[in-house]
Coordinates of all heavy atoms in Angstrom, one line a residue:
V191 N 13.6 -6.4 -0.4 CA 12.2 -6.6 -0.3 C 11.8 -7.7 -1.2 O 12.3 -7.9 -2.3 CB 11.4 -5.3 -0.8 CG1 9.9 -5.5 -0.9 CG2 11.7 -4.2 0.2
H192 N 10.9 -8.6 -0.6 CA 10.8 -9.9 -1.2 C 9.3 -10.4 -1.2 O 8.5 -9.6 -0.6 CB 11.6 -11.0 -0.4 CG 11.4 -11.0 1.0 ND1 12.1 -10.1 1.9 CD2 10.7 -11.7 1.9 CE1 11.8 -10.3 3.1 NE2 10.8 -11.2 3.2
D193 N 9.0 -11.5 -1.8 CA 7.7 -12.0 -1.8 C 7.1 -12.2 -0.4 O 8.0 -12.6 0.5 CB 7.6 -13.3 -2.6 CG 7.6 -13.1 -4.2 OD1 7.6 -11.9 -4.5 OD2 7.8 -14.1 -4.9
V194 N 5.9 -12.1 -0.2 CA 5.3 -11.8 1.0 C 4.4 -13.0 1.5 O 4.0 -13.8 0.8 CB 4.4 -10.5 1.0 CG1 5.3 -9.3 0.7 CG2 3.3 -10.6 0.0
L195 N 4.0 -12.9 2.8 CA 2.8 -13.5 3.3 C 1.8 -12.5 3.2 O 1.8 -11.4 3.8 CB 3.0 -14.0 4.8 CG 1.7 -14.5 5.4 CD1 1.1 -15.7 4.8 CD2 2.1 -14.8 6.9
N196 N 0.6 -12.8 2.5 CA -0.5 -11.8 2.4 C -1.4 -12.1 3.6 O -2.3 -13.0 3.5 CB -1.2 -12.1 1.1 CG -0.5 -11.4 -0.1 OD1 -0.2 -10.2 -0.1 ND2 -0.1 -12.3 -1.1
V197 N -1.3 -11.4 4.6 CA -2.0 -11.6 5.8 C -3.4 -11.1 5.7 O -3.6 -10.0 5.2 CB -1.3 -10.8 7.1 CG1 -2.1 -11.0 8.3 CG2 0.1 -11.3 7.3
F198 N -4.4 -11.9 6.1 CA -5.8 -11.7 6.0 C -6.4 -11.6 4.6 O -7.6 -11.6 4.4 CB -6.2 -10.3 6.6 CG -5.8 -10.2 8.1 CD1 -5.3 -9.0 8.5 CD2 -5.8 -11.2 9.0 CE1 -5.0 -8.8 9.8 CE2 -5.5 -11.0 10.3 CZ -5.0 -9.8 10.7
M199 N -5.5 -11.7 3.6 CA -6.0 -11.7 2.1 C -6.7 -13.0 1.8 O -6.1 -14.1 2.1 CB -4.9 -11.4 1.2 CG -5.3 -11.0 -0.1 SD -3.9 -10.4 -1.1 CE -4.7 -10.0 -2.7
C200 N -7.8 -12.9 1.1 CA -8.5 -14.1 0.8 C -8.3 -14.3 -0.7 O -8.8 -13.5 -1.6 CB -10.0 -14.0 1.1 SG -11.0 -15.5 0.9
T201 N -7.7 -15.5 -1.2 CA -7.2 -15.6 -2.4 C -7.3 -17.1 -2.9 O -7.5 -18.0 -2.1 CB -5.7 -15.3 -2.6 OG1 -5.0 -16.0 -1.8 CG2 -5.5 -13.7 -2.3
G202 N -7.1 -17.4 -4.1 CA -7.0 -18.7 -4.7 C -6.7 -18.6 -6.3 O -6.4 -17.6 -6.8
F203 N -7.1 -19.7 -6.9 CA -7.0 -19.8 -8.3 C -8.3 -20.2 -8.9 O -9.0 -21.0 -8.4 CB -5.9 -20.8 -8.8 CG -4.5 -20.5 -8.4 CD1 -3.9 -21.1 -7.3 CD2 -3.8 -19.5 -9.1 CE1 -2.5 -20.8 -7.0 CE2 -2.5 -19.2 -8.7 CZ -1.9 -19.8 -7.7
T204 N -8.8 -19.3 -9.9 CA -10.0 -19.7 -10.5 C -10.1 -21.1 -11.0 O -9.1 -21.6 -11.5 CB -10.3 -18.6 -11.7 OG1 -9.3 -18.7 -12.7 CG2 -10.4 -17.2 -11.1
L205 N -11.2 -21.7 -10.9 CA -11.4 -23.1 -11.3 C -11.4 -23.3 -12.8 O -11.1 -24.5 -13.3 CB -12.7 -23.6 -10.8 CG -12.8 -23.6 -9.2 CD1 -14.2 -24.1 -8.7 CD2 -11.7 -24.3 -8.5
D206 N -11.6 -22.3 -13.7 CA -11.6 -22.4 -15.1 C -10.3 -22.1 -15.8 O -9.6 -22.9 -16.3 CB -12.8 -21.6 -15.7 CG -12.9 -20.2 -15.3 OD1 -12.0 -19.8 -14.5 OD2 -13.8 -19.5 -15.7
T207 N -9.8 -20.8 -15.5 CA -8.6 -20.4 -16.0 C -7.4 -20.5 -15.2 O -6.3 -20.2 -15.6 CB -8.7 -18.9 -16.5 OG1 -9.0 -18.1 -15.4 CG2 -9.8 -18.7 -17.5
H208 N -7.6 -20.8 -13.9 CA -6.6 -21.0 -12.9 C -5.7 -19.7 -12.7 O -4.5 -19.8 -12.5 CB -5.6 -22.2 -13.3 CG -6.3 -23.5 -13.3 ND1 -6.6 -24.2 -12.2 CD2 -6.9 -24.1 -14.4 CE1 -7.2 -25.3 -12.6 NE2 -7.5 -25.3 -13.9
Q209 N -6.4 -18.6 -12.8 CA -5.8 -17.3 -12.6 C -5.8 -17.0 -11.1 O -6.9 -17.3 -10.4 CB -6.4 -16.2 -13.4 CG -6.1 -16.3 -14.8 CD -6.9 -15.3 -15.7 OE1 -8.1 -15.5 -15.9 NE2 -6.3 -14.2 -16.0
Y210 N -4.8 -16.3 -10.6 CA -4.9 -15.8 -9.2 C -6.0 -14.9 -8.9 O -6.2 -13.9 -9.6 CB -3.5 -15.1 -8.9 CG -3.3 -14.6 -7.5 CD1 -3.4 -15.4 -6.5 CD2 -2.9 -13.3 -7.4 CE1 -3.2 -14.9 -5.2 CE2 -2.6 -12.8 -6.1 CZ -2.7 -13.6 -5.0 OH -2.5 -13.1 -3.7
F211 N -6.8 -15.1 -7.9 CA -8.0 -14.2 -7.7 C -7.9 -13.7 -6.2 O -7.2 -14.3 -5.4 CB -9.3 -14.8 -8.0 CG -9.8 -15.8 -6.9 CD1 -10.3 -15.6 -5.7 CD2 -9.8 -17.2 -7.3 CE1 -10.6 -16.6 -4.9 CE2 -10.1 -18.2 -6.5 CZ -10.6 -17.9 -5.2
M212 N -8.6 -12.6 -6.0 CA -8.7 -12.1 -4.6 C -10.3 -11.9 -4.4 O -11.0 -11.7 -5.4 CB -7.9 -10.9 -4.4 CG -8.3 -9.7 -5.2 SD -7.1 -8.3 -5.0 CE -7.9 -7.0 -6.0
K213 N -10.6 -11.8 -3.2 CA -12.0 -11.5 -2.8 C -12.0 -10.8 -1.5 O -11.0 -10.8 -0.8 CB -13.0 -12.8 -2.8 CG -12.5 -13.8 -1.9 CD -13.4 -15.1 -1.9 CE -14.7 -14.8 -1.3 NZ -15.4 -16.1 -1.1
A214 N -13.2 -10.2 -1.1 CA -13.2 -9.5 0.2 C -12.8 -10.4 1.3 O -13.2 -11.5 1.6 CB -14.7 -9.0 0.5
S215 N -11.8 -9.8 2.1 CA -11.3 -10.6 3.2 C -12.3 -10.7 4.3 O -13.2 -9.8 4.6 CB -10.1 -9.8 3.8 OG -9.7 -10.4 5.0
P216 N -12.4 -11.9 5.0 CA -13.3 -12.1 6.0 C -12.9 -11.5 7.4 O -13.5 -11.5 8.4 CB -13.4 -13.6 6.2 CG -12.0 -14.1 5.8 CD -11.6 -13.1 4.7
V217 N -11.6 -10.8 7.4 CA -11.2 -10.2 8.7 C -12.1 -9.1 9.1 O -12.7 -8.3 8.4 CB -9.7 -9.7 8.4 CG1 -9.7 -8.5 7.5 CG2 -9.1 -9.3 9.7
R218 N -12.1 -9.0 10.5 CA -12.9 -8.0 11.1 C -12.1 -7.4 12.3 O -11.2 -8.1 12.8 CB -14.2 -8.5 11.6 CG -15.2 -9.0 10.6 CD -15.7 -8.0 9.7 NE -16.7 -8.4 8.7 CZ -16.3 -8.8 7.4 NH1 -15.0 -8.8 7.1 NH2 -17.3 -9.3 6.6
P219 N -12.4 -6.2 12.8 CA -11.6 -5.6 13.8 C -11.6 -6.6 15.0 O -12.6 -7.2 15.5 CB -12.5 -4.3 14.2 CG -13.1 -3.9 12.9 CD -13.4 -5.2 12.3
G220 N -10.5 -6.7 15.6 CA -10.1 -7.6 16.6 C -9.5 -9.0 16.2 O -8.9 -9.7 17.0
D221 N -9.6 -9.3 14.9 CA -9.0 -10.6 14.4 C -7.5 -10.3 14.4 O -7.0 -9.2 14.3 CB -9.5 -10.8 13.0 CG -10.8 -11.5 12.9 OD1 -11.0 -12.5 13.8 OD2 -11.6 -11.2 12.0
Y222 N -6.7 -11.4 14.6 CA -5.3 -11.3 14.5 C -4.7 -12.6 14.0 O -5.3 -13.7 14.2 CB -4.7 -10.9 15.8 CG -4.9 -11.8 17.0 CD1 -4.0 -12.9 17.2 CD2 -6.0 -11.7 17.8 CE1 -4.2 -13.7 18.3 CE2 -6.2 -12.5 18.9 CZ -5.2 -13.5 19.2 OH -5.5 -14.4 20.2
L223 N -3.5 -12.5 13.5 CA -2.6 -13.6 13.1 C -1.4 -13.5 14.0 O -0.7 -12.4 14.0 CB -2.3 -13.6 11.7 CG -1.4 -14.8 11.2 CD1 -2.2 -16.1 11.3 CD2 -1.1 -14.6 9.7

Side-chain angles (χ1 to χ4, degrees):
V191 171
H192 51 277
D193 285 353
V194 298
L195 170 61
N196 282 306
V197 179
F198 305 140
M199 193 172 181
C200 190
T201 60
F203 293 105
T204 59
L205 300 179
D206 51 359
T207 61
H208 299 279
Q209 289 173 284
Y210 182 53
F211 73 76
M212 62 185 188
K213 56 181 288 192
S215 173
V217 69
R218 297 294 182 267
D221 279 322
Y222 62 87
L223 186 62

